[in-house]
Amino acid sequence: MTQPVLICRPGKRGEVLANTLRATGAWVEPMAVMSLQALPEDPLMRRVWLDIDQYDKIIVVSPFAALCLGNALDRYWPQLPTGIAYYGVGSATAEALFDQLGVRVRIPSAAADRPGADQQKAGNERGDNTSEALLALASLKNVAHQRILLVAGEGGRTLLAETLTERGAQMTRVAVYRRIFQPPSASLQARLATGDFRALIVTSSELLEHLAKWCDQTALNQPLIVSSQRLATLAGTLGFCDLKVASGATPAALAAALGRSCNPMGADVDQGT
């Protein structure tokens, strides 16, 4: 029997990924192990939203953060202030910001032309959906004395805030949602314990660390597809052996990596991207 491809991306983005993989003929089994929950507004959030016109740049790290930002600004700003430059970590976030606020969003150059994306050249040409690629944009190099707002979830990476602070920016970080983790279902725990799957696709370090708790050595030897070299490095420390690095976190990039993972001639290509 054909083995399933396991994915763990939550919400609508997970549905899009599942449908993209199914279109290639894959049997996809979603893993409902993480959900996103908007945080209630606190005094810090309210102050940030009221002062939104004081920021030079706003950086949003995910589509769900874009949704939370859109809902907040809709309450306080019937008409958005002008003069703010918006940035997104990836084309999906740019599209979500465009849908929510109708603004153009700066992202590293990407292969796909998404609504709302104002694609700019970064240090590499792959259009990575990573903080590193965003920080390579020329417009984020010289930010001394600029006020920058970072809209993110609880926890997560600190690279953006730390790097931009080092470059002289006056940073404000606001957490607008939390990640809630659940154990895999009993049937999925059994798949992870026995390695009974074709491949596992993970695009989040928190999810990778969470799922590793249920993976025995057989599962660790199965193909793991990740969206960045940073995640591949983490996967190696967790004991995963068969690593495939996609060219980004988009459904198309992950589907392409899955296709190459089944082709022995493509293994070296995956590892080198």
Side-chain angles (χ1 to χ4, degrees):
M1 174 182 277
T2 302
Q3 293 175 306
V5 177
L6 304 182
I7 66 171
C8 48
R9 178 173 283 177
K12 291 183 178 180
R13 295 183 69 215
E15 296 174 11
V16 173
L17 174 59
N19 290 335
T20 301
L21 296 174
R22 289 178 181 127
T24 69
W27 169 21
V28 180
E29 193 162 349
M31 305 178 71
V33 293
M34 185 182 79
S35 59
L36 304 176
Q37 181 184 76
L39 293 171
E41 186 177 276
D42 59 19
L44 170 61
M45 283 190 204
R46 186 172 187 273
R47 186 165 62 251
V48 168
W49 308 143
L50 288 171
D51 292 341
I52 204 74
D53 58 333
Q54 302 300 307
Y55 291 96
D56 300 291
K57 294 178 169 67
I58 296 177
I59 299 174
V60 183
V61 304
S62 70
F64 195 70
L67 174 63
C68 294
L69 175 64
N71 290 338
L73 295 188
D74 187 56
R75 294 195 301 271
Y76 292 105
W77 293 88
Q79 183 173 344
L80 282 178
T82 60
I84 301 173
Y86 293 84
Y87 293 79
V89 181
S91 55
T93 302
E95 187 173 358
L97 277 170
F98 181 74
D99 290 341
Q100 290 293 310
L101 302 176
V103 296
R104 303 296 296 181
V105 185
R106 294 168 171 82
I107 61 171
S109 59
D113 186 12
R114 297 294 188 92
D118 181 9
Q119 297 170 3
Q120 299 189 1
K121 296 287 185 182
N124 65 64
E125 295 299 325
R126 293 190 300 138
D128 283 341
N129 298 323
T130 64
S131 298
E132 289 84 353
L134 192 70
L135 287 167
L137 292 177
S139 57
L140 288 178
K141 292 288 190 180
N142 184 11
V143 293
H145 310 300
Q146 293 185 15
R147 295 191 65 182
I148 300 179
L149 174 64
L150 179 63
V151 184
E154 286 184 336
R157 302 181 71 193
T158 60
L159 178 67
L160 280 170
E162 290 177 351
T163 303
L164 292 172
T165 297
E166 291 172 357
R167 293 176 182 178
Q170 300 175 32
M171 292 296 303
T172 300
R173 186 185 191 279
V174 59
V176 293
Y177 67 92
R178 64 167 57 99
R179 302 167 183 85
I180 301 175
F181 294 93
Q182 301 95 17
S185 65
S187 61
L188 286 171
Q189 286 188 35
R191 286 198 183 281
L192 291 173
T194 60
D196 183 20
F197 54 90
R198 175 183 169 194
L200 173 63
I201 298 179
V202 184
T203 58
S204 157
S205 58
E206 294 91 349
L207 275 171
L208 185 58
E209 291 175 322
H210 180 64
L211 290 174
K213 303 170 188 175
W214 287 276
C215 293
D216 72 354
Q217 191 57 52
T218 304
L220 294 174
N221 288 331
Q222 289 294 91
L224 172 66
I225 298 172
V226 295
S227 54
S228 69
Q229 189 58 53
R230 175 181 62 86
L231 279 178
T233 300
L234 172 62
T237 66
L238 294 172
F240 290 92
C241 303
D242 189 359
L243 304 177
K244 314 293 181 183
V245 184
S247 62
T250 65
L254 296 169
L258 175 65
R260 293 194 298 270
S261 74
C262 300
N263 178 4
M265 296 298 293
D268 290 338
V269 176
D270 280 299
Q271 190 65 35
T273 57

